[in-house]
Amino acid sequence: METKLKRSVFLFILLQPFLDIFWLYQPPISTVLGMSPATIIRLLFIAVIGVMYLLALKNKRELWFYAGYLLLLGVYFIFHQRNAMLFHSLVPGNFAYSTFGELFYIVRMLIPLFMIVISAKIEYDDLTLVRLINWLTIFFSGSIVLTNILGISLGSYIHQWGSGSLIEQYQHQRITGTIFNWFARSNTMDFYGMASKGFFNHANTTGTILILLTPLVLYALVKRFDWKNIVLAIVHFMACQELGTKAAGYGTLAMIAVYIVVYLFFTLIKKELKFNAKLLVALLLILAGSYGLNRFAPTANRQASEDVVHEELTADKPETSRLDVRVRKLEKSGTKKQKIKFIYKYRQKFGLNEGFVTKSYPAKYDPDFWLNVMTWPGYSRMNYRYLQMQIWKRVSALNNNSKDKLFGFGYIRLNNMGLIERDFVSQYYAMGIIGTILLVVPYLVLTLIDGIKMLFNFKRLVTLKTVSLMFAILAMLAVSIYTGYVLDYLTATILLAFFMGQLTRIVWRKPSAEER
């Protein structure tokens, strides 16, 4: 049974890239069964793996711990549900809260936590782990690079899904240029058409997965320095630049530099590895090549695009000043109807995103908020993460329920309005402090405990493998706080949970007589 469990988990992890295909989450496919078929497949897989785990479990006393946790979670959900039902806002329908949807969200959040437990019980040797890393690199990074070269990739920042047939959706979202067009750009706004995410669902989520894989790809290269792993590393870092997110574009550059230091530590100081000058040169060339490519990549062009928009917003100073005066007059004495009319008429002049103003948090229901937004500096208005945060602060203030801090007012409500692109903050609003502690904080606590245990057993536990795993985990958690769209998305959390489990197994394994 243990062997079958081991193989099933390996296959489940390999399936994750295929379960993140964009169209699986969009109509009409997602509406046939009421949810994405990817979610159904994951639930079936995790159910089978769960049964295998229970049959292979030797220490049945563990079940009492799991039962206690589920009981605690059940009690929390009762209070969370009661609190969420009391929510009120200026928007009719209160962003369509759903009890079933909320309960299903909690079930989804349990899957990666369960995966940590399972992964920590399964031992994969270095060869198998490296093989898994290589396949994940091929499926994620390789597919991004290949679809970009062929010009068939979906654009990372072209958001027009949900309308028309699958073919019509695809035509709306295809990239407008490949990597070969980067070096002959004539328009700073080309960023929006050249950032490529392959066929994956969310660019942010895919970017954090690439960041998770970065130290692991480098670990595989160090463990087996051959042309295959060199090619895979090059492909991986090309994909990081092609994706177009700041985290993947700039973050991986920093991670390569740090990993070179890690490599030198384990060769020259700890002497776990034999120094290889050719390998060091390869790492330096990969860093230099990634940096050079980044200068032409969509990520670099994105800043130029934002600067152009900002200049356009402030180009006509007399007009801008006149409108600013009108905003302040309307704030003091304007009627609701006048405010709404002004906001919709001059939305573009102030660089306000149409989706936010008309759909996420319609100005017709809360014009005072949007008039206040119009007084912000241009960069603040263009910073959608900041804007989302302020919208939810406004909604929370209007709801004025102190229990929201403890129990939250609902993930479904938050999702219907637009998730905050910052994990932990997003879960705080949706699930409250207690829900965040039960469903999200375990990632931080386990990582902290593993890290402390590694430091206190430095000689035995601080190895290239454990440091690479810890580096990958910390990088993904850090980026999730910056970009969001990680801890609520199973493709990312299942992979994170698997590698957390592998690290935990090594750290908590009883040392042999020789190791003592």
Side-chain angles (χ1 to χ4, degrees):
M1 185 58 68
E2 290 183 2
T3 301
K4 291 181 179 179
L5 177 61
K6 193 172 181 178
R7 290 174 179 172
S8 298
V9 170
F10 188 92
L11 177 61
F12 184 54
I13 297 301
L14 281 185
L15 275 177
Q16 296 313 305
F18 301 97
L19 297 179
D20 197 48
I21 299 300
F22 175 81
W23 290 284
L24 295 179
Y25 299 87
Q26 307 303 325
I29 293 177
S30 63
T31 56
V32 173
L33 299 173
M35 65 180 71
S36 168
T39 303
I40 296 174
I41 293 171
R42 286 191 176 106
L43 289 173
L44 292 175
F45 244 98
I46 208 69
V48 172
I49 290 172
V51 171
M52 290 182 177
Y53 173 74
L54 291 176
L55 292 176
L57 186 63
K58 296 177 181 179
N59 184 8
K60 303 297 182 182
R61 286 180 296 181
E62 287 184 26
L63 297 177
W64 287 104
F65 171 79
Y66 304 141
Y69 171 76
L70 291 176
L71 178 62
L72 187 62
L73 193 62
V75 173
Y76 155 76
F77 182 75
I78 292 173
F79 285 95
H80 170 72
Q81 170 69 9
R82 288 180 177 177
N83 187 68
M85 295 301 291
L86 296 174
F87 178 87
H88 72 277
S89 72
L90 299 177
V91 179
N94 291 324
F95 309 110
Y97 179 81
S98 164
T99 301
F100 174 78
E102 200 72 8
L103 184 60
F104 186 65
Y105 169 73
I106 290 180
V107 172
R108 280 173 43 211
M109 292 292 281
L110 286 174
I111 290 176
L113 295 179
F114 184 48
M115 178 53 62
I116 294 176
V117 174
I118 295 173
S119 178
K121 300 289 185 178
I122 302 173
E123 183 178 2
Y124 292 101
D125 57 40
D126 279 357
L127 181 62
T128 304
L129 192 63
V130 167
R131 186 182 298 122
L132 179 62
I133 293 167
N134 287 344
W135 278 115
L136 289 174
T137 305
I138 290 170
F139 293 146
F140 279 109
S141 307
S143 64
I144 291 174
V145 171
L146 181 61
T147 55
N148 176 277
I149 291 174
L150 296 177
I152 60 175
S153 172
L154 296 172
S156 298
Y157 294 95
I158 303 176
H159 302 307
Q160 299 181 42
W161 56 76
S163 59
S165 65
L166 293 180
I167 296 176
E168 289 172 330
Q169 289 183 47
Y170 172 66
Q171 292 301 328
H172 292 159
Q173 298 163 79
R174 226 173 126 176
I175 55 173
T176 59
T178 70
I179 189 173
F180 303 112
N181 300 112
W182 292 3
F183 309 99
R185 291 195 309 263
S186 59
N187 185 347
T188 55
M189 303 306 288
D190 285 347
F191 152 74
Y192 294 99
M194 291 192 180
S196 306
K197 64 177 180 179
F199 293 143
F200 298 114
N201 195 22
H202 281 294
N204 278 2
T205 308
T206 305
T208 55
I209 291 171
L210 295 185
I211 286 169
L212 172 74
L213 289 176
T214 292
L216 305 177
V217 169
L218 294 172
Y219 171 74
L221 179 61
V222 171
K223 291 296 292 185
R224 191 180 182 113
F225 182 56
D226 57 23
W227 69 269
K228 292 181 181 179
N229 283 329
I230 292 173
V231 170
L232 282 177
I234 293 172
V235 167
H236 176 73
F237 291 108
M238 282 180 64
C240 291
Q241 299 305 324
E242 290 177 344
L243 186 65
T245 67
K246 291 181 179 179
Y250 296 124
T252 52
L253 288 175
M255 293 173 72
I256 301 171
V258 173
Y259 203 89
I260 290 174
V261 176
V262 170
Y263 170 72
L264 292 174
F265 172 80
F266 282 104
T267 55
L268 302 179
I269 298 177
K270 202 164 187 290
K271 297 187 183 301
E272 176 187 327
L273 305 169
K274 184 178 179 181
F275 179 75
N276 186 332
K278 292 181 179 179
L279 174 58
L280 179 59
V281 170
L283 291 173
L284 290 171
L285 288 175
I286 289 172
L287 175 59
S290 297
Y291 176 79
L293 192 61
N294 178 266
R295 299 302 84 203
F296 299 92
T299 310
N301 198 31
R302 179 178 187 174
Q303 185 59 52
S305 301
E306 292 175 350
D307 291 340
V308 168
V309 174
H310 184 259
E311 288 176 7
E312 290 176 351
L313 292 177
T314 57
D316 190 349
K317 290 185 178 180
E319 174 72 3
T320 302
S321 299
R322 184 179 65 82
L323 290 176
D324 287 343
V325 171
R326 289 190 62 186
V327 168
R328 287 176 174 80
K329 286 184 177 180
L330 285 170
E331 282 187 310
K332 291 180 180 179
S333 58
T335 65
K336 183 176 182 180
K337 186 176 181 180
Q338 289 173 330
K339 293 175 182 178
I340 295 171
K341 184 178 179 180
F342 179 85
I343 292 168
Y344 284 127
K345 183 176 180 179
Y346 293 104
R347 175 192 62 78
Q348 289 184 320
K349 284 281 187 180
F350 285 86
L352 300 180
N353 181 278
E354 182 179 4
F356 285 121
V357 176
T358 62
K359 296 178 181 178
S360 296
Y361 193 55
K364 63 183 179 181
Y365 300 121
D366 192 0
D368 291 332
F369 170 79
W370 286 107
L371 277 178
N372 178 255
V373 172
M374 286 177 163
T375 66
W376 296 356
Y379 274 117
S380 296
R381 298 197 300 268
M382 290 165 55
N383 187 335
Y384 295 156
R385 289 191 180 96
Y386 177 75
L387 180 56
Q388 284 176 318
M389 185 80 69
Q390 298 310 307
I391 289 174
W392 273 107
K393 284 183 178 180
R394 171 70 169 176
V395 170
S396 181
L398 290 172
N399 187 43
N400 194 27
N401 182 356
S402 60
K403 292 182 181 179
D404 286 343
K405 293 181 179 179
L406 289 176
F407 304 112
F409 43 58
Y411 167 81
I412 298 301
R413 185 169 280 132
L414 189 72
N415 186 56
N416 287 337
M417 184 174 170
L419 291 175
I420 297 171
E421 293 186 42
R422 183 167 291 177
D423 283 331
F424 297 98
V425 175
S426 177
Q427 285 80 24
Y428 163 75
Y429 277 104
M431 310 305 292
I433 293 173
I434 297 176
T436 302
I437 290 173
L438 289 172
L439 296 170
V440 178
V441 170
Y443 295 107
L444 299 178
V445 172
L446 182 59
T447 302
L448 179 63
I449 293 174
D450 285 348
I452 292 173
K453 194 167 178 65
M454 285 171 61
L455 292 176
F456 276 93
N457 295 271
F458 192 88
K459 185 177 180 180
R460 180 174 66 88
L461 293 180
V462 177
T463 65
L464 183 67
K465 183 177 183 178
T466 58
V467 169
S468 298
L469 287 168
M470 179 62 78
F471 190 8
I473 293 164
L474 287 174
M476 189 174 200
L477 289 174
V479 171
S480 75
I481 296 173
Y482 171 68
T483 67
Y485 290 99
V486 178
L487 298 181
D488 290 330
Y489 291 83
L490 287 176
T491 305
T493 52
I494 287 172
L495 294 174
L496 173 66
F498 173 79
F499 288 113
M500 286 186 73
Q502 288 300 291
L503 175 63
T504 301
R505 177 178 179 82
I506 297 171
V507 169
W508 290 90
R509 178 179 60 84
K510 291 183 179 179
S512 62
E514 294 179 356
E515 291 174 323
R516 295 195 194 100

